[in-house]
Amino acid sequence: YEPFVYADTGDGFKGFEVDMWEKVFMLLKIEVLRSRNEYLIDLVGEDLPKPIPVPEGNGTWDEMIHYAAGPGKADILFCGFYLQAYRARWCDFSMPTASSGYSMVVSAQAKPIEGATLLYSTVQTPEPSAAFAILLLLILSIMYAHVLWVVERNWNPTIREWYGPGVFDAWWLGFVTATTVGYGDKAPVTYIGRIVTVIWMLAGMYSVGLFSASLTTGLVADNLSEGGAFESEIQRHSDMVGRKLGSYFELADPAARSVAPEIDEVHIYPSQRQAYDALMSGEIDIVVDDQIGAQFFSSNAPYKGNVTLTGPLWSPEDYAYLVMRPNGTEHPLLPLLYRANLEFFRGMFRDEAISIHQTWFTVPEDEGSLADATLSASIAQLNLTISCVLGAVCVVWAGLTLLHHRGLGQKEEQRDMLMRALECKTKFDRYQAKKGAEKLFHEWDTNGDNLLDMGEITSALRTTGFANTKDLDGLVAREAVKSGISVPSDRSKLLVNQHQFQTLISRILTEGFEMEAAAVLDEPAQKQQVMMVLDEFRVKGDLLDYKLNRIEWLLRGGPDDDGVPPPPSRGSRRWTCIMYRG
């Protein structure tokens, strides 16, 4: 009967009561020697007597007692016997060697935690140390902000001079520094400010590290265990009703019915291990077992971590050695055995008795370790789910990025063709684009009305790289609106003059490349603007000079007098730009 007495390798035995008997026997010999009873000294002998197994066919405890009570069969019997009154008719008892009773044993395989429950548990009340870390970080950051504002306000343009906004600027700098975000929009510029900031970095790292450690030290596990995520739903004796019960001894059925009369019949298995195997396989829901036996099985392989005791103990019982009655009289060793047991369990050898008990009946891993294992499995499942979601998002993002680059490549090709048509030598050259647009305007203005309609614009654009562009009318209309050109509800009636056309072409040229164009135009923008203004002055100056020369020629009678030289043609005047460097 595991764990009390069971076969070891060879023909020996091992078990809890075997180990106990070895220690008690040593004390029994001392008591016998003290008695100076030659018969008892000869009966006990010097060596530990070898246990003799009860022959097969005596399977129940009472059958073993009847066999051992036969003449000359045994003096002492032990194999996990309860100290029960009715057995006193056949034998006597030593003092109790252990206390036990009946317990329910259930499967300890906790169900995985749902992802929503796991995520919700992380936002419940945090550890007190986490709250302390946040408060410490806030207090220190406010102190740092005041010190930094004092030393930086007159030297740092990113920290305002007046108190309220200036302290906030310094607090913002301190907070992003402590959290290692570091946007870079603000930084100390004075030596004192930098020294103070170094000290603050160390204090900030301590506070943030303390906060992070507090969050990761059992926060989720504590919240889940408090919610009963790892507790068995079988907690009371009444929970046995309606469930499948099993055991390996006949007394389990009446014992279970004593606390839950409505239960179904307890299925009796031939051995302890068969009963526990049935529990692990799901064949039964509960094993009704002796508490000590249940502790042994639940703390040893292959059942460790897979089964656990639950609910309150009932029908408490004590274990004891059974001392036979030779010829129906008290055995002469009984008083000496009682004193030996008393010395071992209550006297100076008490620690050895406790040690043996702990060796055989180590309490199973607590529910915290089971919670950790289940929590780890649930987090792994949640991580897998999140990874799949992130993977799907990345795939979609990559696909959209490829589509965007594909469209961007088409736009680059259209832009390059349009730049060639505009005779632009560099990207986003506004000056050359304006001149090229002016030239194209006159080329595309086939009817010579100094206006281009939607049809003329789209037809011409298709010859410059926009042949495959879908909804080209919509593109022109959108860019026209962005250029400040009024677009009628009927887009086909759009008309633009030369200036509007130049603005529109510039918009179409940079459509989809605004950031790139801005980066290119940042440095030479002023130069290009000056060149465009000079070009306009040149055109207007040529026109004004031509008109003045023409008026002068007319006033001098040029049409009637061949001696008056004709005025120079328009655009023949040369302009010189003189630049001064100061």
Side-chain angles (χ1 to χ4, degrees):
Y1 174 43
E2 295 182 70
F4 295 93
V5 181
Y6 58 101
D8 196 1
T9 55
D11 57 351
F13 293 90
K14 65 179 180 179
F16 165 65
E17 287 190 330
V18 173
D19 291 348
M20 288 288 191
W21 170 246
E22 292 178 358
K23 301 296 183 181
V24 171
F25 177 76
M26 301 303 296
L27 297 176
L28 178 61
K29 287 198 304 179
I30 295 175
E31 295 295 333
V32 170
L33 291 174
R34 287 175 179 172
S35 69
R36 299 180 181 181
N37 187 321
E38 296 295 334
Y39 169 75
L40 295 181
I41 293 175
D42 182 62
L43 178 64
V44 172
E46 291 291 332
D47 300 325
L48 179 71
K50 182 179 180 180
I52 301 175
V54 175
E56 294 183 4
N58 301 284
T60 66
W61 277 268
D62 288 348
E63 288 175 346
M64 286 189 283
I65 294 174
H66 287 300
Y67 171 82
K73 298 294 183 181
D75 296 295
I76 299 175
L77 181 65
F78 53 87
C79 188
F81 287 97
Y82 280 152
L83 199 163
Q84 294 181 322
Y86 77 93
R87 290 174 176 168
R89 293 177 293 176
W90 312 307
C91 60
D92 295 309
F93 304 97
S94 69
M95 69 168 292
T97 59
S99 297
S100 184
Y102 293 100
S103 289
M104 297 182 293
V105 185
V106 297
S107 174
Q109 298 173 353
K111 297 180 179 179
I113 309 165
E114 295 182 358
T117 303
L118 191 61
L119 291 175
Y120 173 73
S121 68
T122 62
V123 297
Q124 297 187 31
T125 305
E127 296 289 329
S129 55
F132 167 76
I134 287 294
L135 293 175
L136 180 64
L137 182 64
L138 291 175
I139 292 172
L140 293 179
S141 65
I142 293 173
M143 295 172 60
Y144 164 79
H146 281 79
V147 174
L148 190 69
W149 174 73
V150 170
V151 299
E152 293 277 328
R153 58 178 177 171
N154 295 324
W155 306 96
N156 195 332
T158 62
I159 296 179
R160 286 167 283 189
E161 295 184 11
W162 48 96
Y163 175 76
V167 171
F168 180 81
D169 292 338
W171 178 83
W172 169 258
L173 187 156
F175 212 83
V176 297
T177 300
T179 56
T180 68
V181 175
Y183 285 114
D185 57 339
K186 301 180 188 299
V189 296
T190 64
Y191 287 112
I192 298 179
R194 290 174 180 176
I195 293 173
V196 172
T197 302
V198 169
I199 298 173
W200 164 244
M201 287 178 183
L202 299 176
M205 284 190 296
Y206 169 79
S207 300
V208 173
L210 179 61
F211 176 71
S212 301
S214 300
L215 288 182
T216 56
T217 305
L219 173 60
V220 177
D222 289 346
N223 288 334
L224 288 174
S225 61
E226 288 174 6
F230 304 102
E231 293 182 2
S232 171
E233 59 183 6
I234 301 174
Q235 293 292 324
R236 299 180 299 274
H237 298 148
S238 59
D239 293 334
M240 291 190 290
V241 178
R243 289 183 166 86
K244 292 178 287 186
L245 309 180
S247 188
Y248 52 90
F249 55 91
E250 298 292 342
L251 290 177
D253 187 87
R257 293 185 185 279
S258 67
V259 291
E262 297 84 7
I263 62 169
D264 298 331
E265 183 178 359
V266 178
H267 182 75
I268 304 301
Y269 290 89
S271 68
Q272 298 161 289
R273 294 188 177 273
Q274 288 179 327
Y276 279 89
D277 289 341
L279 176 63
M280 290 181 58
S281 66
E283 183 180 332
I284 58 176
D285 302 313
I286 303 172
V287 169
V288 179
D289 196 4
D290 172 78
Q291 185 187 48
I292 288 184
Q295 288 178 346
F296 172 76
F297 279 98
S298 60
S299 60
N300 290 276
Y303 309 108
K304 184 177 182 179
N306 295 314
V307 300
T308 185
L309 282 71
T310 186
L313 179 75
W314 79 93
S315 298
E317 299 282 357
D318 291 326
Y319 289 102
Y321 297 129
L322 305 189
V323 183
M324 298 300 104
R325 294 173 180 166
N327 301 320
T329 61
E330 182 183 281
H331 199 293
L333 284 177
L334 179 61
L336 303 179
L337 178 64
Y338 192 90
R339 288 198 294 268
N341 276 358
L342 186 63
E343 180 68 22
F344 183 68
F345 291 105
R346 297 290 186 270
M348 60 184 303
F349 296 94
R350 175 184 176 87
D351 291 341
E352 288 191 44
I354 294 175
S355 176
I356 294 175
H357 190 280
Q358 290 176 344
T359 300
W360 282 95
F361 306 115
T362 302
V363 178
E365 294 182 3
D366 58 352
E367 291 186 355
S369 60
L370 177 61
D372 291 341
T374 307
L375 178 60
S376 299
S378 301
I379 291 178
Q381 182 63 37
L382 181 61
N383 289 341
L384 178 62
T385 303
I386 294 176
S387 299
C388 292
V389 173
L390 288 178
V393 171
C394 290
V395 169
V396 173
W397 174 60
L400 293 176
T401 302
L402 290 175
L403 290 176
H404 171 74
H405 280 285
R406 184 178 179 182
L408 193 60
Q410 182 180 2
K411 287 183 179 181
E412 286 182 349
E413 183 179 355
Q414 294 171 350
R415 179 197 63 187
D416 293 341
M417 294 185 66
L418 183 58
M419 287 175 61
R420 287 194 293 270
L422 295 172
E423 300 179 356
C424 293
K425 297 181 180 179
T426 58
K427 292 181 179 180
F428 312 116
D429 187 338
R430 291 180 178 177
Y431 173 71
Q432 188 60 45
K434 186 174 182 180
K435 290 178 65 67
E438 179 183 357
K439 181 179 178 181
L440 290 181
F441 180 84
H442 293 295
E443 290 180 2
W444 296 353
D445 185 16
T446 55
N447 55 10
D449 60 352
N450 289 325
L451 292 172
L452 292 179
D453 58 26
M454 178 66 79
E456 291 173 324
I457 296 173
T458 55
S459 298
L461 285 175
R462 286 192 174 91
T463 64
T464 58
F466 291 83
N468 297 324
T469 302
K470 297 179 180 179
D471 191 21
L472 187 55
D473 291 0
L475 172 63
V476 173
R478 289 193 301 272
E479 298 305 320
V481 172
K482 294 178 182 178
S483 302
I485 302 172
S486 177
V487 179
S489 57
D490 185 359
R491 296 183 297 191
S492 62
K493 296 181 180 180
L494 173 67
L495 295 173
V496 296
N497 57 31
Q498 178 181 326
H499 177 71
Q500 291 174 329
F501 178 74
Q502 289 173 321
T503 306
L504 176 61
I505 288 298
S506 296
R507 286 289 314 176
I508 294 176
L509 186 64
T510 59
E511 193 269 330
F513 303 95
E514 289 81 0
M515 295 184 64
E516 183 180 351
V520 173
L521 295 175
D522 279 345
E523 183 176 348
Q526 294 182 355
K527 176 183 175 182
Q528 291 183 2
Q529 184 66 29
V530 170
M531 291 181 67
M532 286 190 291
V533 172
L534 288 176
D535 186 59
E536 291 178 0
F537 275 120
R538 180 185 64 79
V539 173
K540 293 179 180 179
D542 282 345
L543 179 60
L544 180 61
D545 190 53
Y546 172 76
K547 289 180 179 180
L548 290 175
N549 290 333
R550 184 73 176 172
I551 293 172
E552 182 182 0
W553 179 69
L554 290 174
L555 292 175
R556 293 175 63 184
D560 301 325
D561 187 357
D562 293 335
V564 179
S569 61
R570 181 180 176 184
S572 61
R573 180 178 177 181
R574 294 183 178 179
W575 290 78
T576 303
C577 180
I578 303 176
M579 298 183 66
Y580 294 93
R581 181 175 298 175

